[in-house]
Amino acid sequence: GVANVHRPTTNCRWSAFGAENIEQWVGDLEWDVIHFNFGLWDWYGWRQDIKATPESYAKSLETIVQKIRSKSEADLIFAITTPPCVGPEKKVKIVVSEERAKAFNAAARAVMDEYGVEINNLYEVIHKKREQLQRGPDDVHYTDEGRDLLAAKVASRIQQTLDAAD
């Protein structure tokens, strides 16, 4: 009863894919808040011919922010990506190190700071609980309890932004 929540009808995948499609996803509607995230696909390289680096990730995120701002006056909130799974991911069988995750998240934070985009740090919300809240050591997805925790943080952050705009 507080907000109408919408999302693209597709998986938004990695940030370069997002940079190519964000204008279509934002469309011509008048948004109050756009809460967005990219990261896990960039870290793991799922279905990417050219694998992302923190530098290419930052460039894609910068393009995304610029394109959103060209179409909308919405308040923007970027969700810092949740932690990688503890073990080798089940599809690509690689382990994303804490150092790699932190490098990508630092790159994202630098872009958002430069453009004055608010941060919702979902990494910190769940990092210390990820072993119990991820579906398994090889899965980046969360149990119902984990999803509820993340959803509450997202809803709270959106509510704060809406309240500040009033």
Side-chain angles (χ1 to χ4, degrees):
V2 173
N4 294 313
V5 179
H6 302 269
R7 61 160 283 129
T9 57
T10 186
N11 187 312
C12 298
R13 305 179 196 177
W14 56 92
S15 60
F17 183 81
E20 292 174 10
N21 292 282
I22 194 69
E23 291 168 310
Q24 174 187 340
W25 297 335
V26 170
D28 294 324
L29 298 175
E30 291 187 32
W31 303 102
D32 294 317
V33 176
I34 297 174
H35 187 287
F36 66 107
N37 164 262
F38 292 90
L40 289 174
W41 281 64
D42 292 274
W43 298 358
Y44 284 101
W46 297 309
R47 295 196 222 156
Q48 296 171 50
D49 293 330
I50 300 172
K51 306 301 183 199
T53 64
E55 296 77 19
S56 67
Y57 178 59
K59 183 173 174 52
S60 294
L61 291 177
E62 184 173 22
T63 299
I64 290 166
V65 170
Q66 290 171 345
K67 286 182 175 183
I68 293 173
R69 290 239 167 106
S70 75
K71 292 190 65 76
S72 177
E73 294 181 17
D75 289 319
L76 303 184
I77 305 169
F78 180 78
I80 295 291
T81 304
T82 56
C85 48
V86 178
E89 193 275 337
K90 62 185 169 187
K91 291 180 184 169
V92 292
K93 308 290 186 213
I94 64 169
V95 173
V96 171
S97 68
E98 291 294 317
E99 293 76 27
R100 180 170 173 81
K102 287 180 182 180
F104 273 79
N105 284 340
R109 187 178 292 280
V111 170
M112 301 311 147
D113 287 349
E114 179 180 343
Y115 284 89
V117 174
E118 295 179 49
I119 297 287
N120 191 5
N121 194 342
L122 298 182
Y123 190 98
E124 287 303 318
V125 168
I126 208 153
H127 176 65
K128 292 180 180 170
K129 300 176 183 178
R130 72 180 171 157
E131 288 187 41
Q132 75 187 65
L133 296 177
Q134 283 180 325
R135 288 185 186 166
D138 63 349
D139 197 332
V140 299
H141 299 97
Y142 290 90
T143 63
D144 289 345
E145 182 184 358
R147 284 194 314 261
D148 289 348
L149 178 66
L150 292 166
K153 177 64 174 167
V154 170
S156 172
R157 192 69 168 110
I158 290 170
Q159 181 70 62
Q160 288 172 357
T161 302
L162 290 171
D163 290 347
D166 286 340

